Amino acid sequence: MRALALYGTIGSLIVTALATAPAGGTTQAAGAPPAPVAHRIDFGRCAPVEHLPSSVECGKLTVPLDYARPDGKKIQLTVSRARATAHRERQGSLVFNPGGPGASSLEFPLYGALPKWSRLARAYDFVGYAPRGVGRSAPLSCQDPKEFAKAPTDSRMYPDAAFKRKKRAQAMAYARGCARRAGADLPFYNSVNNARDLDMLRAALGEKKLTFIGASYGTYFGAVYATLYPGHVRRMIFDSVVNPEPRQIWYRNNLDQDIAFERRWGDWLGWVAKHDDHYHLGTTKKAVQQAYDTVAGKLRRHPVDGKIGAGELQSAFLKTGYNDGFWPLRAEALASYLHGDPKPLIAQALPQQTGAKDAENANAVYTAVECNDAPWPRSWRTWDRDNTDVAEIAPFETWDNAWMNLPCAFWPERTQSAAAGVEAAARRVGQGSGQELADAAGHAAATELDGALHGRRLPLDVHTEPGALPPVLLLAAERDAATPYRGALELQRRLPGSSLVTENGAGTHGIGFGENDCVNRYAEAYLLHGKIPAHKVYCAPRAEPVPGEQTTRAQHARPGK
């Protein structure tokens, strides 16, 4: 499952996640090619396709496709900026990444006009950008957008053997499409190169040190950045933290998400049951689940408008796990449909054809980054066993999440041509050899950090010098589903001197500069004054939603499934 794209359309450090070594990744080891020199960005009017007002300026950042060959092929990343509104208070540039992988922050400069960001906008240039592969930044595509957006689709909590065979075939075809369309460039879309691009952006902005907010997936490659360039960090906020434990990236993190989403789904079922006098969907979680299952069955047989099937229903209702601002909206849609009015469901679940190209692009980048970053099981038996086990306790989204990630089972190895790699992986999966995750044969050059380019291997753990990295601020909600709370605890363990602000009992994904003033005060004081709170501090959750209310919460939630 894609981690949420937040905010947008909105000591020592050992991040051993680099042990899984994305293809094209390398540290700046002795004998490695010198880092390329970043040239200042020439900002001007934004292209009409970006749909940004004249108050925002845009430019292009040129970076190597392959940092091991800095004089080789170049790609350009699109960057946006709004200048600090108080010149005498200016502290530099504030760069933001909203997650994904596959999300853009080009709209981030607009946030300075919002009240909760206004004081930061006085002190910082707000800088957004489209990471490599995203939007017009060397865009990736794995499938025709019309085919990707084809509806209706099906979703099954307990798929039978025939359905599984169909999804395996689709995953193999998708991986083949990625390999065909991207060709030799495909391995270079990964988290280590995202971190390197971020340092090129820092230098191109004229900043000696980076001030950065990373949300969701942005916390992961932000941590990779801090590993590679600890001396280049000024201040960093990591909001909704991905678990960086190397054995978790990315296969097991996705299994953990399935369980966490089930808990959040249960939170929503309980809230709806508590308000049965308003929605009339049942007074127990079981009754509300049965109402949902009834609707899914009806849509599977008779899709609404020929476009909303069980798959579209599941995708829309998955958003209840990201932000409780969606709770009243989804409950109203479910109740209205069962009482003969499909209009609210159509408004919330109908696929938007106008956004098909962007959606396909985001999914392609998500897939490429996660498949390139780490080894994935090559055996279908492993996928089937693990997801069947998890679905027994967390059926709501386990299998849909598995189908989204299954192309990684067919992903080409870097030592092979892209097309041959997919075919080789397909044979391994089809043979059902029983390979386990730890035996993923050489996938993505998993035991190297491109040291092989220089005839030597590099250590698998990347260490910074003690004290080189300044204190980092972590933000997390205790019941976050997309990035379970354990990830924040794990990253804090790896970041001596960091501080963790927890929203108690809440499940919102992305808590910074939202509706919790307690969280906002800590984040603002850190960015403006460098004030780091105690090692662990807690904020009370925001109020529970009220049935029938149309809050702004859902407007700030950006589900990325």
Side-chain angles (χ1 to χ4, degrees):
M1 173 183 301
R2 179 177 306 136
L4 185 62
L6 296 169
Y7 304 111
T9 297
I10 237 202
S12 65
L13 173 63
I14 305 173
V15 178
T16 52
L18 293 182
T20 52
T26 180
T27 58
Q28 192 63 38
V37 176
H39 298 282
R40 295 295 287 265
I41 299 171
D42 184 16
F43 283 101
R45 293 182 63 87
C46 297
V49 70
E50 307 300 355
H51 303 292
L52 293 170
S54 59
S55 58
V56 179
E57 53 186 358
C58 293
K60 293 289 187 178
L61 171 68
T62 301
V63 300
L65 174 70
D66 178 4
Y67 278 86
R69 297 175 176 85
D71 295 326
K73 182 176 179 178
K74 304 294 195 299
I75 59 176
Q76 289 190 320
L77 312 186
T78 307
V79 182
S80 61
R81 180 176 69 179
R83 293 281 197 174
T85 58
H87 178 72
R88 292 186 178 182
E89 299 175 25
R90 185 180 181 278
Q91 297 188 34
S93 299
L94 174 60
V95 180
F96 173 67
N97 179 272
S104 168
S105 62
L106 285 176
E107 293 184 355
F108 178 59
L110 302 178
Y111 282 44
L114 301 176
K116 289 183 172 64
W117 294 87
S118 60
R119 283 186 288 272
L120 290 175
R122 291 177 60 84
Y124 289 100
D125 298 345
F126 277 26
V127 176
Y129 71 109
R132 60 171 59 201
V134 179
R136 295 191 301 126
S137 296
L140 274 180
S141 174
C142 293
Q143 189 177 26
D144 185 294
K146 292 181 180 178
E147 184 68 21
F148 179 79
K150 187 179 290 185
T153 59
D154 199 0
S155 171
R156 301 191 183 187
M157 296 184 189
Y158 304 101
D160 58 20
F163 191 79
K164 291 177 181 179
R165 284 194 298 271
K166 174 183 175 182
K167 301 304 286 189
R168 286 168 61 188
Q170 290 175 350
M172 184 172 64
Y174 189 82
R176 186 180 289 117
C178 295
R180 183 179 66 253
R181 289 173 176 242
D185 292 355
L186 187 59
F188 301 102
Y189 294 84
N190 59 61
S191 293
V192 172
N193 282 340
N194 282 339
R196 291 196 186 98
D197 291 346
L198 182 59
D199 199 57
M200 289 282 283
L201 176 58
R202 171 202 60 78
L205 293 169
E207 303 292 351
K208 292 183 178 180
K209 296 195 174 186
L210 176 71
T211 303
F212 176 75
I213 300 176
S216 198
Y217 166 72
T219 70
Y220 176 68
F221 90 82
V224 173
Y225 179 93
T227 297
L228 296 175
Y229 310 105
H232 294 181
V233 174
R234 180 177 178 266
R235 291 169 192 162
M236 279 185 153
I237 289 182
F238 294 152
D239 186 355
S240 303
V241 181
V242 169
N243 189 339
E245 159 61 41
R247 290 170 296 183
Q248 294 290 126
I249 303 294
W250 288 100
Y251 181 69
R252 291 188 176 94
N253 267 345
N254 276 279
L255 294 174
D256 284 353
Q257 279 185 333
D258 300 337
I259 296 170
F261 263 97
E262 192 71 23
R263 182 172 67 172
R264 279 290 283 163
W265 178 243
D267 290 346
W268 179 77
L269 294 175
W271 179 85
V272 176
K274 185 169 69 173
H275 297 290
D276 181 63
D277 58 337
H278 187 90
Y279 298 112
H280 308 294
L281 292 171
T283 59
T284 64
K285 291 183 180 181
K286 183 177 180 180
V288 179
Q289 179 68 59
Q290 288 175 339
Y292 176 87
D293 293 340
T294 296
V295 173
K298 288 184 176 181
L299 294 176
R300 187 174 292 116
R301 295 187 297 273
H302 305 290
V304 172
D305 276 8
K307 294 289 186 181
I308 302 176
E312 287 67 38
L313 179 77
Q314 199 274 348
S315 181
F317 277 73
L318 186 69
K319 296 178 182 179
T320 62
Y322 286 106
N323 191 301
D324 56 16
F326 287 103
W327 288 10
L329 298 170
R330 297 300 184 263
E332 192 67 47
L334 197 68
S336 295
Y337 177 82
L338 285 171
H339 291 93
D341 179 11
K343 291 179 182 178
L345 183 62
I346 293 172
Q348 297 175 43
L350 186 67
Q352 301 299 313
Q353 291 297 320
T354 55
K357 183 178 179 181
D358 289 342
E360 191 281 325
N361 169 240
N363 195 76
V365 176
Y366 165 84
T367 305
V369 170
E370 293 217 352
C371 296
N372 284 332
D373 267 6
W376 289 76
R378 293 295 198 177
S379 166
W380 167 246
R381 292 179 183 176
T382 301
W383 288 80
D384 194 27
R385 178 200 65 209
D386 292 347
N387 286 279
T388 297
D389 288 348
V390 172
E392 287 297 318
I393 58 173
F396 177 62
E397 68 96 28
T398 293
W399 280 108
D400 285 307
N401 195 14
W403 308 139
M404 183 175 185
N405 292 290
L406 189 57
C408 294
F410 303 96
W411 209 247
E413 295 177 11
R414 194 180 180 197
T415 55
Q416 302 166 307
S417 70
V422 173
E423 298 306 322
R427 288 193 295 272
R428 284 194 296 272
V429 174
Q431 289 166 357
S433 63
Q435 275 177 284
E436 300 298 328
L437 176 63
D439 299 323
H443 176 61
T447 58
E448 314 179 46
L449 294 177
D450 269 3
L453 291 173
H454 309 287
R456 58 190 294 276
R457 291 195 174 205
L458 299 175
L460 298 184
D461 290 349
V462 179
H463 300 255
T464 66
E465 294 299 322
L469 183 72
V472 172
L473 183 64
L474 313 180
L475 309 177
E478 201 171 33
R479 296 177 71 83
D480 184 0
T483 52
Y485 187 63
R486 187 173 68 176
L489 299 176
E490 176 65 23
L491 186 56
Q492 186 180 35
R493 185 182 72 80
R494 295 167 181 266
L495 289 169
S498 65
S499 180
L500 171 59
V501 177
T502 298
E503 188 176 19
N504 264 355
T508 298
H509 186 58
I511 63 174
F513 301 99
E515 296 188 5
N516 194 312
D517 290 337
C518 170
V519 174
N520 295 343
R521 285 195 298 271
Y522 284 119
E524 187 177 87
Y526 172 73
L527 289 174
L528 289 180
H529 309 295
K531 293 182 179 178
I532 196 81
H535 185 63
K536 282 193 175 91
V537 293
Y538 298 89
C539 292
R542 64 203 82 182
E544 199 175 70
V546 176
E549 73 173 351
Q550 301 296 316
T551 70
T552 60
R553 296 185 195 180
Q555 297 173 12
H556 293 289
R558 301 292 182 259
K561 172 68 173 171

